Amino acid sequence: MNINKVGAKERRLIMANKETTVLHVPFDRPDAYHALNMPLYHSVAFEFDNAEEMELAFTGRSAGHAYSRITNPTVQYFEKRVQSLTGALSVTAMNTGMSAISNTLITIAQAGSNIVTSNHLFGNTMSLLKNVLGPFGVEIRTCDLTKPEVVRQHIDANTCAIFLEIITNPQLEVADLSALGALGKELGVPLVADSTVIPFSHYSAKSLGVNIEVLSSTKYLAGGGTSLGGLVIDYGNFNWKNSKKLGELAQQFKAFTFTKKLRGDVYTNLGCYMTPHVAYMQTLGLETLNLRYKAQAENTLALAKKLQQTEGIASVNYPALPDHPFHEVAKRQFGDYAGAVLTFSLESREACFAFLNKLKLVRRATNLFENKSLAIHPASTIFGNFTSEQLEEMNVDNRVIRLSVGLENVEDVYQDILQALN
Ligand SMILES: *Cc1c(COP(=O)(O)O)cnc(C)c1O
């Protein structure tokens, strides 16, 4: 029997585990040629048999596709695959991680509202908050998100979201999601989390209390660094009646309120939807995400332990290390590994540059979770346009190298690091 024709109930029986389910998500409708993989519908427009059907599709009263800035079958299939892994209410695929973040915050925030977050954010995200949303009247309140009681003091009636990175990049700080999720629930503020640094195949953001998960699928998910993409994952577990901006909409749309606003007004107008070719590539990436992450995370922990014993390295930062300050919370939330990126510090900025220039196998590049190992000096690159005062506030140290660990044999990577240190 073709899996596409097996009913939902039986599918749940034959696919008890999500590694299996994610590979066999059925198409919305049978493919004319019985294609095994979702075909790439590289078409801007979709045509209709009659004007009545056309009206239904354009006014959102039927599920038909009309125009690929709004929906596309290949992209929708990718969203459905992600939904099967995460158990989300809805998933929206965007053209970059930054689109996922900006569209989400624009959906929730309005002039006069504030976002409670931390200084430890990805550089573009910080600049989005301060330089783009700020001038539209959204206040950015930064505090130490690893201390829920401090977060509580920053929340007031105008707070529209607690926004954080599940593991901050590049500080590798881990917040207690359950505590923040509970706080958000108590105070009626949604918890919005960027999970780019640790993929959803390995923990459940929903069960930790996250309401909206955003991520750059450019990183782990794409695999091999083929394409830019982002995801907005709505778990449907926030009561939007508590939102100043969306409260009224919530009367009608209940759990679907956020997705309704995002899809109805925001991403379509900003023009941020994922393109079908990218969705095709990232669907393939998703099929091997679980395996790649395990191998890369295992390599990262092994390498972190070796680097701790290596002369010339002042300190190693990876939350899965037993002596890491966030070890306990990382282990409780994510298990044995905490992503596949680590940082280590050398004596000076000059030592970092000399080290980078001597690398032969590890590549000098800025992506995360490529199949190849990549090294970068964050302070002079990703954070290169911030002042030294701002860098200090953000805890971006001039002596730190960030290493995204790939699928190579870990001993080869270690040997390259050793030769570059000398
Ligand atoms: C890379 C990254 C982003 C932005 O993703 P793009 O796909 O490059 O737009 C956002 N947040 C974090 C934590 C990232 O590492």
Side-chain angles (χ1 to χ4, degrees):
M1 169 83 102
N2 180 332
I3 195 92
N4 281 303
K5 293 181 185 154
V6 174
K9 205 165 149 197
E10 196 188 343
R11 265 205 322 274
R12 277 197 292 276
L13 284 175
I14 55 179
M15 296 187 279
N17 296 293
K18 59 185 187 179
E19 308 81 298
T20 310
T21 321
V22 70
L23 292 170
H24 297 285
V25 173
F27 301 160
D28 273 340
R29 58 170 74 189
D31 178 67
Y33 301 97
H34 302 286
L36 181 61
N37 291 309
M38 174 47 108
L40 212 177
Y41 288 96
H42 231 303
S43 177
V44 170
F46 298 85
E47 79 178 320
F48 294 86
D49 284 343
N50 54 56
E52 288 76 14
E53 272 187 23
M54 206 167 181
E55 183 187 19
L56 289 177
F58 273 78
T59 52
R61 283 178 286 162
S62 78
H65 300 284
Y67 191 74
S68 285
R69 172 161 45 71
I70 301 158
T71 60
N72 172 281
T74 310
V75 183
Q76 199 167 72
Y77 183 66
F78 173 58
E79 294 169 337
K80 223 175 135 188
R81 287 259 198 137
V82 174
Q83 200 176 7
S84 85
L85 253 186
T86 55
L89 178 77
S90 85
V91 174
T92 307
M94 304 271 163
N95 54 13
T96 61
M98 285 318 303
S99 281
I101 297 169
S102 57
N103 280 266
T104 295
L105 295 178
I106 289 170
T107 300
I108 298 175
Q110 62 185 355
S113 51
N114 66 72
I115 296 170
V116 173
T117 186
S118 129
N119 268 321
H120 299 171
L121 291 175
F122 180 66
N124 288 119
T125 305
M126 182 57 89
S127 147
L128 165 76
L129 294 175
K130 295 205 161 152
N131 304 332
V132 181
L133 295 180
F136 280 99
V138 179
E139 184 196 344
I140 311 306
R141 295 188 177 172
T142 56
C143 66
D144 184 350
L145 292 178
T146 66
K147 300 199 167 71
E149 283 320 299
V150 174
V151 179
R152 178 189 290 274
Q153 288 159 16
H154 284 75
I155 293 175
D156 64 18
N158 290 319
T159 303
C160 68
I162 304 170
F163 178 80
L164 56 74
E165 290 175 15
I166 283 187
I167 298 182
T168 66
N169 167 19
Q171 303 85 1
L172 307 186
E173 198 178 84
V174 186
D176 185 336
L177 292 172
S178 312
L180 293 179
L183 181 67
K185 197 168 173 191
E186 180 196 327
L187 302 177
V189 177
L191 181 62
V192 181
D194 176 342
S195 67
T196 300
V197 175
I198 180 155
F200 49 63
S201 55
H202 273 74
Y203 72 101
S204 162
K206 182 184 179 183
S207 70
L208 293 171
V210 171
N211 301 116
I212 308 287
E213 181 175 354
V214 290
L215 61 110
S216 165
S217 57
T218 313
K219 313 287 170 57
Y220 281 114
L221 214 156
T226 56
S227 48
L228 291 157
L231 288 167
V232 180
I233 302 174
D234 177 0
Y235 288 109
N237 54 353
F238 183 72
N239 185 352
W240 294 100
K241 287 189 190 138
N242 293 318
S243 157
K244 271 202 171 160
K245 181 175 178 188
L246 303 178
E248 207 174 307
L249 208 62
Q251 310 282 348
Q252 188 184 350
F253 294 100
K254 312 248 166 17
F256 284 95
T257 302
F258 170 85
T259 291
K260 173 75 190 163
K261 184 74 183 168
L262 172 74
R263 293 196 157 238
D265 283 335
V266 183
Y267 86 81
T268 34
N269 295 341
L270 294 176
C272 293
Y273 203 47
M274 183 175 270
T275 57
H277 196 172
V278 169
Y280 182 84
M281 289 190 283
Q282 299 205 350
T283 302
L284 291 180
L286 189 64
E287 292 192 348
T288 57
L289 174 65
N290 191 36
L291 278 179
R292 284 183 290 109
Y293 174 67
K294 257 190 228 158
Q296 286 177 270
E298 223 172 87
N299 273 355
T300 310
L301 182 58
L303 199 58
K305 288 181 175 166
K306 281 172 188 283
L307 294 176
Q308 278 191 315
Q309 309 299 325
T310 302
E311 214 180 306
I313 291 186
S315 65
V316 180
N317 181 8
Y318 180 56
L321 284 170
D323 56 357
H324 193 277
F326 294 108
H327 174 76
E328 197 201 317
V329 60
K331 183 150 179 112
R332 174 159 49 82
Q333 296 183 151
F334 315 126
D336 291 340
Y337 307 108
V341 62
L342 59 81
T343 68
F344 55 88
S345 53
L346 302 178
E347 191 169 280
S348 61
R349 172 190 155 101
E350 291 67 35
C352 290
F353 274 49
F355 169 81
L356 285 173
N357 291 341
K358 274 196 182 161
L359 288 170
K360 291 176 182 164
L361 172 68
V362 176
R363 318 292 273 262
R364 288 172 291 270
T366 184
N367 204 1
L368 288 175
F369 319 118
E370 288 255 0
N371 298 334
K372 303 174 182 74
S373 292
L374 309 177
I376 192 165
H377 178 248
S380 63
T381 53
I382 306 167
F383 295 89
N385 291 324
F386 291 93
T387 64
S388 52
E389 213 169 53
Q390 288 171 316
L391 289 184
E392 193 160 322
E393 248 176 41
M394 294 161 122
N395 192 18
V396 176
D397 193 313
N398 234 331
R399 292 163 299 184
V400 165
I401 297 279
R402 185 184 83 185
L403 185 71
S404 165
V405 182
L407 288 167
E408 299 94 344
N409 182 301
V410 71
E411 190 54 32
D412 291 337
V413 177
Y414 182 58
Q415 288 305 323
D416 190 41
I417 292 173
L418 276 187
Q419 69 78 24
L421 282 170
N422 288 321

